[in-house]
Amino acid sequence: MLPRFYQMQATKQDTINKLRKDILLLEGFKPALADGAGSLGLGCIEAAFPNGVFPVGAIHEMLCPTPEHLAACTGFMAGTLSALASKGGVCLWINRYQRLFPPSLSFFNMPPHHFIFVDVKQEKDALWVMEEALKCEGLTAVIAELQTITFAQSRRLQLAVERSKVTGFILHNDPQKARASTCVARWQVTQLESEIEEGLPGVWFPRWQVELLKVRNGKPGSWAVSWDGSGFTILEEGAKIIQLPQRKAG
């Protein structure tokens, strides 16, 4: 039998471990299921998160400094949404700049009729709609294009999803104004050259360099990812990254 001191230490450690598990659940990190159910098919990217599970019921921040980044990020995110909504469900997309081409979402198994599109003109309106939408348990996910977000604003969004378990995505189009936030993860997605079948014209399946810049209690990393029409494939290291053209502000 262990001495009393070691028994107290063991009890204290058990309490700490339980509190950590409870906090992870509140932040959207569910325990991994033995049969792999609930996986989004992101392979080792999901392994970077605590418990090896993509966090739902949490806010993800996607950095999109240029229209090219936004297009790449939208494609990757649409594939992620198709896995999140695999059992049905509707997503809400808050549009500020009307740059989205809804029919293109079908390529990633997310038909436009699975979305509710809301057009707003002002940043404050986009934030208000997002916060209210995140409280609606019937939605699968809420996506909003925002120029910036403060820590307090991100905290309000996080409180909303902790009850509803709806997943939120912020398309952050001005990373220069990126600040500390309560978002569970910060991503940046860059397009890669597709691999064209020899002898065939045109473009092939889309590819991205997916960077997980920050992840709470997880392991940031970078992966080359392809979409084959039905799901994601993690590519081998060394895939070429297209250098995006530098754009002048204004």
Side-chain angles (χ1 to χ4, degrees), residues 39-204:
S39 171
L40 301 189
L42 287 170
C44 54
I45 299 181
E46 288 181 88
F49 292 101
N51 300 332
V53 177
F54 184 91
V56 297
I59 305 295
H60 295 256
E61 185 179 12
M62 322 291 283
L63 302 186
C64 309
T66 68
E68 290 84 358
H69 280 87
L70 177 63
C73 189
T74 299
F76 174 74
M77 196 173 58
T80 305
L81 291 173
S82 70
L84 284 175
S86 58
K87 296 181 181 179
V90 175
C91 301
L92 187 138
W93 196 299
I94 304 165
N95 227 334
R96 276 205 64 202
Y97 304 100
Q98 289 76 48
R99 289 183 291 207
L100 176 68
F101 183 60
S104 65
L105 298 169
S106 297
F107 183 76
F108 301 95
N109 300 329
M110 278 300 289
H113 65 267
H114 284 191
F115 288 88
I116 300 170
F117 296 100
V118 178
D119 291 345
V120 297
K121 293 183 178 180
Q122 299 189 35
E123 187 90 352
K124 63 179 183 180
D125 294 333
L127 270 170
W128 182 83
V129 173
M130 184 174 197
E131 182 178 347
E132 294 303 311
L134 287 172
K135 298 175 183 175
C136 299
E137 299 176 1
L139 293 172
T140 299
V142 178
I143 305 99
E145 299 175 21
L146 297 174
Q147 193 168 41
T148 185
I149 185 170
T150 66
F151 184 86
Q153 290 167 337
S154 69
R155 179 61 180 155
R156 289 176 64 91
L157 299 180
Q158 182 60 35
L159 289 174
V161 300
E162 285 179 2
R163 290 187 177 182
S164 66
K165 302 304 178 187
V166 177
T167 305
F169 293 91
I170 295 174
L171 298 177
H172 202 318
N173 64 7
D174 191 352
Q176 299 299 323
K177 297 181 179 179
R179 305 172 182 173
S181 72
T182 62
C183 296
V184 72
R186 177 174 288 173
W187 305 73
Q188 181 162 291
V189 181
T190 310
Q191 72 268 38
L192 293 175
E193 288 180 304
S194 58
E195 184 179 14
I196 301 175
E197 191 76 12
E198 187 174 356
L200 293 178
V203 296
W204 212 242

